[in-house]
Amino acid sequence: MIRFCCEQCGHKIGVEDGHTGKRGKYPECGEIFVVPPESTVIDFNCADCGQRISTPKIHGGKKVICPKCKNTLIVPTGSQTSAESVRVVRFTCSMCHREIEESESSRGKLVECPHCRNYVAVPLQKTAAQEAQAASRQSTQDDASTERFEQMQQNVGTMAVQEPEPVVERKLPWVLDIFLYPSSKAGLTTLAIIVFVPLLIGIVVSRLNAFARGFPPMLVLAVPVSIIGFIICILLSLYLYWYFCECIRDSAAGGVRAPETVGATPGLGDLLWQWFRTICCLAVFAAPTLIYYGHARQTDSVFWALLAGGVFAFPMALLAVVMFDSFAGLNPILLVGSVFSAFLPYCAMIATFALVVFLIVKESLAAQGSAILSFIINCVRLYLGLIVAHLLGWFYHRYEQKLNWDV
């Protein structure tokens, strides 16, 4: 079994051998992980009480606290074959009278005091004063709460190993599975909120306005409700833009279903900034076509050539802006090089992208004049929109090496 830990929260996880290089999510913090070729944690036993302890390899040679006996230990390094930790000897420097900690194997040897830089001898055994001090320290530690020591364990990385979590993989062929991307609980919940909240607000506002026409004093209630409803709809639209980009980033990291965003909801500034970048990206590639049409007032071959060029380059530009989280993704040298480095896969992705967009536009035009049909088509349009986001992110995931972006 390969065992490793999250660099963000310290949560440890284990997967069966053979999953090297595959991606998944930590159940605690939701961060994306890539399974390493070998375990990156050290397992050892406390030299005093025998407690089994697990900690990341980066803590090799460092001091930790045993969760059972509360004694200080030194974590064995990866090069050591022994699974036993090293006891720590505490004694007082004879020169500066400050406490020093050294390993058990240092007894009887000269060591340099880290405080005064003088050399002192490590005592062969504990003195009576040191025994009393150790007993007092042990009593104080025993009186401390369990929660305090759990927090200390998190700080030094000696948390218990969790049960293995399965690596997320596609169960269906990729061509079919992409259409199930929004079908996660988080994805369906987001779509339901985006669809039904504005619908409910529209019904409430229309009823209040109708009632206010027959009873004018109700305008005192109808006007504020209309304003609040309008603000909520605007916020939901901004959130939809942000979630669309979040789906791109999640798919680029290997996600196969719409991500959970509880605990990661952005502020208003982040929503506005994400929306602004997306609109600017669209404006950059639509501007040549619009400018030409405004000047020529006709849809000739030049118009269609400009439109085709903008449609062809826009998905790559949007992907770059989202992944870089910056306007640096609009660098023309970067975009041209990226398109040609993965030209055939990109053309295939553009064809699929165009098909989905065509279905969205076609169904939107067919829904005109029917309220019920418009509502259904709106749901389908939003569902297909998340699939488009997944297509963009998964393209980056599949061809990350060819794109060679330093994201």
Side-chain angles (χ1 to χ4, degrees), residues 157-197:
T158 54
M159 299 167 62
V161 177
Q162 304 296 322
E163 292 297 323
E165 294 288 340
V167 177
V168 179
E169 296 179 344
R170 295 189 185 277
K171 298 180 179 180
L172 297 174
W174 180 80
V175 177
L176 299 177
D177 197 73
I178 59 173
F179 291 96
L180 297 178
Y181 178 76
S183 63
S184 66
K185 180 180 178 181
L188 294 177
T189 301
T190 300
L191 291 177
I193 293 174
I194 297 297
V195 170
F196 286 102
V197 171

Side-chain angles (χ1 to χ4, degrees), residues 116-138:
C116 65
R117 300 302 178 184
N118 289 314
Y119 284 91
V120 294
V122 181
L124 293 174
Q125 58 184 2
K126 295 181 180 179
T127 63
Q130 290 171 343
E131 291 285 358
Q133 185 181 11
S136 176
R137 184 186 297 110
Q138 182 68 37

Side-chain angles (χ1 to χ4, degrees), residues 60 90 105 139 143 147 191 194 205 215 268 339 355 367 392-393:
R90 291 190 181 92
S105 60
S139 176
D143 292 338
E147 289 77 12
L191 291 177
I194 297 297
V205 170
F215 187 64
L268 179 59
V339 169
L355 176 61
L392 290 173

